[in-house]
Amino acid sequence: MRVDPRILIQQFSSFWRGQRPIYLLPFLVLATGLLSTMAVTEQTRRFGEKEHQQIESTLLIAVIESLRSKLEINITMLGSVVGLFNASKEVSRLEFTTFYETVALNSGQLTGMQGVGFARWIPASGLPAFEQRIRQEGFPKFRVQPPGARPAYSATEFLEPFDWRNQRAFGFDMYSEPERRHAMDRAWKTGNASLSSKVRLVQETQEDLQNGVVIFMPIYTDQAQIPGASDSTLLGWAFSPLRIKDVVNSALAGVYNPDLAGSGVLVFDGTEPLARNVLYDNLNLMGSDGLSHPYYQKLTIAGRTWLVGVQLAPRLVGPNGIGSTFWITMLIGSTISMVAALISRILVSNHLTTRTALAVSEAASRELSLSSTVFEESSQGILVTNPQGRILMANNAFTQLTGYRISEIKGQGANLLKSGRHDNASYKQMWDELLHKGFWEGDIWNLVHSGEIRCHHLNISTVRDESLEPQYYVGMLQDVTERRQAEQAVHFMAQHDILTGLANRSMLMEQLERHLALAKRHGRGVALLYLDLDGFKSVNDQFGHNVGDQVLQIVAERFRHVIREGDLLCRQGGDEFVVLVPEAGSTEELLKMGLKLVEASRAPFLELDPAIVISASVGVARFPEHGNTSDELLAAADNSMYTAKRAKTNPVQVSRASQPQAPASSGLLQTLDDQSHQSQGTGKGNQQGDGHG
């Protein structure tokens, strides 16, 4: 209800002209003020209802997105485990441990995750051989649990970190348990990540007992295999057991929203908020009188749906819209009404004074209404600039994100956060899009007050005046640095060899396909040099795998100095390397490069042991002479490498076409031939794992 002051003035004038009793005027002013106060407080209450819904919805979205990001990072980690197995003929325990330690070192996002592991699929006939192999690896009491005859088994073979808690799950057959088996079958048949229902992890004890779930991703013996086609092509599952309380607490720690403090968060397995489905309840609200006004939303990920709910803390505005602002508005309005009535009583003898008092009362009511609609705080940093980019105001969250106080930055350009990681073209594109669309969103690296460079997710909106010209720009920032760093670390590990840091087979095939497409379009040559280290197996046998790992790292570094800038050096697996030459010259030039690589491999290993002697056999294949596809080119280079191993005089062989002779002036070929005779009989290097555990 809103009272028009002009009507009141007319009533007062009529009252004055009619010579009404003067003592009634203060009561009329008081009644008018109280009615205005009631109207403003009702408006404040309705605004409070909307504010409650907005705060609750914003908080729930932030919780769900943080939880989704946490699970997606875990799924990405499992994808890198699948990539590790796809890039290797066999993965050793040491290699799996090194992979996990490398990823865990570069990612703070693993907090709350119980671990990352591999469960092998075992037909019933292969169980005794599998158990015997694990016992020979240093676990003499190893058995697949639970015992008993079954058509097939799964067994936890790797699980990192291999601490006391995860050792309880070593050898556990998850396929024997219905909840886990359902998720494993879904992953196997779809080829995608699959989240199990609520389970009790084998790792749990009676101390700090938590609900758990497991995420699975299938690994096939043949990368081209259709998911679920045959159990003979299923190698096993990459999996990650999650302790729900730890995972959710870790996700909530990444929610930068002050409204989360004291608020209740609930997570249910399924789409119904039932007590038997509770996964997480931070305030133990389920089943109590404290659960009075929760707000729910579904989260679907990895083939399963969770119901996530929040209930705001009592200190915040309630669902009926009554909060501190409501009571303050009522108190101030009542006080102003009584003061206005007192003033009108004192000045009632003067008509002009009475009208002035009414105008003051109206202005006070407008200011009171406006103050009730101001949104004091936001969980995201907010920056307001004029059309020229000069800062007009910022909120407390912006100060916390950047370290700048409003007094320091007011009137300055918003480019004070410029970090130097983006070129001028990027900023121009951002402003062009903002001018034409009125909105821009994306991630941007900013330089904060401390000198640190942080990644912020930025939303910029244009506020226009009545003539539709830009009046203000409003930017909203959220810090996403840790999430970006974790994504970059996992992406790097999925395409690089752990031991040497070189590109792995996955990255090689991706780059080879791309350069072949460019070569076919522009008529260029593409070449592969396939290398195998002769005598490397004897190094492992005589000096041990640790020395073998160091030899592989030294050889990789030597090869880096031989190849040209723009060439790609890849560790194919074990002691095999491949060099991708995108813009290949003549076959003679490729032959010279192969000879230089052989020479680099034969250099003494004085830093390790002078007795270490190895060589290399090199197979060369060039597009289009020796193959038209990536598989044909790789097979041609591999076959020519085996030809080089059998050759007595030349360690470098070109596929099919006649091999050109090296320049006589270099003298390199004769020297390498002499060394080749000395290293005969070393045999082919070991497969993936012999050189690194």
Side-chain angles (χ1 to χ4, degrees):
M1 176 179 179
R2 181 173 178 85
V3 178
D4 192 342
R6 291 174 295 183
I7 298 177
L8 292 177
I9 293 174
Q10 293 175 359
Q11 292 175 347
F12 291 160
S13 299
S14 176
F15 176 87
W16 185 266
R17 288 193 299 269
Q19 298 180 353
R20 301 291 183 183
I22 294 177
Y23 62 85
L24 292 179
L25 186 57
F27 294 99
L28 182 59
V29 172
L30 179 61
T32 302
L34 292 178
L35 288 174
S36 298
T37 299
M38 291 174 60
V40 172
T41 52
E42 176 60 17
Q43 181 182 359
T44 302
R45 189 194 67 79
R46 293 179 180 178
F47 177 80
E49 286 183 337
K50 295 180 180 179
E51 183 184 25
H52 175 86
Q53 295 173 2
Q54 181 180 2
I55 293 174
E56 203 167 48
S57 176
T58 300
L59 180 58
L60 179 58
I61 291 174
V63 169
I64 287 178
E65 288 306 312
S66 183
L67 188 57
R68 183 193 303 276
S69 176
K70 193 74 176 177
L71 295 175
E72 286 177 348
I73 288 175
N74 191 254
I75 292 173
T76 303
M77 166 71 80
L78 294 184
S80 65
V81 173
V82 174
L84 175 66
F85 277 84
N86 288 340
S88 306
K89 297 180 180 178
E90 189 63 35
V91 176
S92 69
R93 190 172 302 278
L94 177 59
E95 184 174 5
F96 191 91
T97 301
T98 304
F99 165 81
Y100 174 81
E101 291 175 349
T102 303
V103 174
L105 181 65
N106 291 282
S107 178
Q109 295 293 325
L110 300 183
T111 305
M113 300 175 185
Q114 181 60 31
V116 177
F118 166 66
R120 188 177 293 275
W121 174 254
I122 310 168
S125 61
L127 181 63
F130 171 78
E131 290 181 335
Q132 182 63 26
R133 177 172 66 82
I134 300 300
R135 292 169 189 156
Q136 291 175 352
E137 290 181 5
F139 304 94
K141 297 182 180 181
F142 175 85
R143 288 186 182 278
V144 173
Q145 298 293 335
R150 294 184 287 276
Y153 303 81
S154 74
T156 300
E157 184 173 351
F158 304 140
L159 183 55
E160 293 293 336
F162 199 57
D163 53 20
W164 67 270
R165 187 182 292 274
N166 279 336
Q167 288 175 14
R168 294 166 58 89
F170 185 43
F172 178 64
D173 180 6
M174 291 183 285
Y175 202 73
S176 65
E177 195 269 326
E179 285 78 13
R180 292 177 174 86
R181 181 170 63 248
H182 180 73
M184 296 167 81
D185 283 341
R186 185 169 65 241
W188 173 18
K189 296 182 185 302
T190 63
N192 299 319
S194 177
L195 181 65
S196 75
S197 59
K198 181 171 67 174
V199 299
R200 178 170 178 175
L201 301 179
V202 182
Q203 295 91 326
E204 290 294 337
T205 63
Q206 293 303 318
E207 182 179 355
D208 189 26
L209 182 63
Q210 297 187 23
N211 294 319
V213 295
V214 186
I215 302 179
F216 298 91
M217 186 171 288
I219 303 174
Y220 304 100
T221 57
D222 182 1
Q223 298 182 47
Q225 176 64 32
I226 300 174
S230 170
D231 59 0
S232 64
T233 60
L234 179 66
L235 184 63
W237 294 267
F239 72 96
S240 178
L242 306 179
R243 305 181 79 208
I244 293 299
K245 185 171 73 174
D246 291 347
V247 171
V248 179
N249 286 341
S250 176
L252 295 181
V255 176
Y256 300 101
N257 190 329
D259 299 329
L260 181 61
S263 296
V265 178
L266 302 98
V267 181
F268 299 88
D269 181 20
T271 58
E272 297 294 332
L274 305 177
R276 66 175 183 270
N277 295 339
V278 173
L279 290 173
Y280 180 85
D281 183 0
N282 64 332
L283 300 182
N284 296 319
L285 297 174
M286 193 63 190
S288 69
D289 295 336
L291 188 64
S292 57
H293 51 87
Y295 182 56
Y296 295 107
Q297 188 168 318
K298 296 176 182 179
L299 167 62
T300 300
I301 190 168
R304 193 155 192 89
T305 299
W306 287 355
L307 188 66
V308 182
V310 298
Q311 179 171 293
L312 296 185
R315 61 182 173 81
L316 301 173
V317 61
N320 57 2
I322 297 178
S324 59
T325 304
F326 175 88
W327 297 113
I328 292 173
T329 301
M330 179 175 288
L331 176 62
I332 294 176
S334 301
T335 302
I336 291 176
S337 300
M338 289 186 288
V339 170
L342 179 61
I343 293 175
S344 67
R345 177 67 182 87
I346 296 173
L347 303 177
V348 69
S349 59
N350 190 301
H351 182 240
L352 181 61
T353 305
T354 302
R355 294 183 62 179
T356 303
L358 291 174
V360 172
S361 177
E362 180 189 17
S365 297
R366 285 200 308 268
E367 293 180 1
L368 182 62
S369 176
L370 178 61
S371 65
S372 67
T373 63
V374 176
F375 187 68
E376 297 292 342
E377 296 181 358
S378 172
S379 61
Q380 293 184 327
I382 300 178
L383 184 70
V384 181
T385 74
N386 61 14
Q388 291 74 40
R390 296 291 177 181
I391 298 174
L392 301 178
M393 61 184 300
N395 67 348
N396 291 331
F398 180 85
T399 298
Q400 295 174 2
L401 285 176
T402 66
Y404 286 104
R405 298 190 300 272
I406 182 62
S407 59
E408 295 179 284
I409 61 176
K410 192 171 184 179
Q412 296 193 41
N415 59 1
L416 64 87
L417 298 176
K418 194 173 182 180
S419 65
R421 288 200 179 183
H422 306 281
D423 55 20
N424 293 331
S426 299
Y427 290 108
K428 183 179 184 303
Q429 181 182 2
M430 178 182 71
W431 281 106
D432 288 345
E433 187 172 340
L434 188 60
L435 290 173
H436 289 89
K437 298 182 180 179
F439 180 83
W440 183 87
E441 179 178 7
D443 291 348
I444 189 169
W445 292 92
N446 285 330
L447 179 66
V448 298
H449 189 272
S450 64
E452 184 181 4
I453 296 178
R454 305 288 294 178
C455 184
H456 294 145
H457 185 76
L458 174 63
N459 288 287
I460 306 177
S461 300
T462 304
V463 179
R464 302 184 183 275
D465 58 18
E466 295 179 354
S467 60
L468 300 181
E469 292 296 326
Q471 187 175 16
Y472 305 108
Y473 292 119
V474 180
M476 303 187 71
L477 298 89
Q478 183 177 5
D479 195 311
V480 295
T481 307
E482 285 73 18
R483 186 186 71 190
R484 283 291 298 272
Q485 291 174 345
E487 292 172 353
Q488 291 171 357
V490 172
H491 179 73
F492 178 85
M493 295 306 303
Q495 291 193 322
H496 290 79
D497 174 53
I498 299 172
L499 180 65
T500 62
L502 299 177
N504 61 14
R505 177 182 175 85
S506 176
M507 185 174 180
L508 170 68
M509 299 306 292
E510 177 183 326
Q511 293 296 318
L512 180 56
E513 291 284 357
R514 185 172 70 87
H515 286 297
L516 277 176
L518 291 174
K520 293 175 182 178
R521 184 184 307 168
H522 301 292
R524 295 199 295 256
V526 176
L528 291 180
L529 281 72
Y530 203 117
L531 297 90
D532 182 88
L533 301 183
D534 301 322
F536 181 71
K537 184 177 186 303
S538 62
V539 173
N540 274 341
D541 295 340
Q542 182 178 355
F543 298 96
H545 287 182
N546 288 335
V547 174
D549 287 347
Q550 296 179 58
V551 168
L552 289 174
Q553 291 170 340
I554 292 172
V555 170
E557 188 62 28
R558 292 176 180 177
F559 288 169
R560 282 194 185 100
H561 289 85
V562 171
I563 66 175
R564 306 173 308 178
E565 183 178 359
D567 296 343
L568 178 66
L569 177 60
C570 160
R571 184 183 175 208
Q572 176 78 353
D575 57 352
E576 295 180 348
F577 297 83
V578 177
V579 178
L580 168 61
V581 184
E583 296 185 4
S586 65
T587 308
E588 290 79 1
E589 293 175 350
L590 297 173
L591 178 60
K592 291 179 182 179
M593 180 184 290
L595 294 174
K596 289 180 180 179
L597 292 169
V598 174
E599 182 184 38
S601 69
R602 293 180 177 177
F605 292 87
L606 300 179
E607 63 272 53
L608 297 178
D609 193 311
I612 296 176
V613 177
I614 65 172
S615 181
S617 296
V618 183
V620 180
R622 186 181 187 278
F623 167 84
E625 294 93 329
H626 308 132
N628 195 46
T629 66
S630 57
D631 290 337
E632 292 176 357
L633 205 60
L634 191 62
D638 189 18
N639 291 334
S640 59
M641 180 272 291
Y642 279 102
T643 302
K645 293 184 71 67
R646 294 190 295 268
K648 301 298 184 180
T649 59
N650 193 347
V652 182
Q653 294 288 331
V654 180
S655 176
R656 294 185 182 177
S658 60
Q659 302 177 22
Q661 298 299 317
S665 58
S666 67
L668 176 60
L669 180 59
Q670 183 60 45
T671 302
L672 293 175
D673 289 342
D674 295 340
Q675 295 177 359
S676 176
H677 287 298
Q678 297 173 11
S679 59
Q680 291 299 317
T682 55
K684 185 181 184 298
N686 63 341
Q687 301 299 322
Q688 181 79 7
D690 287 347
H692 47 90

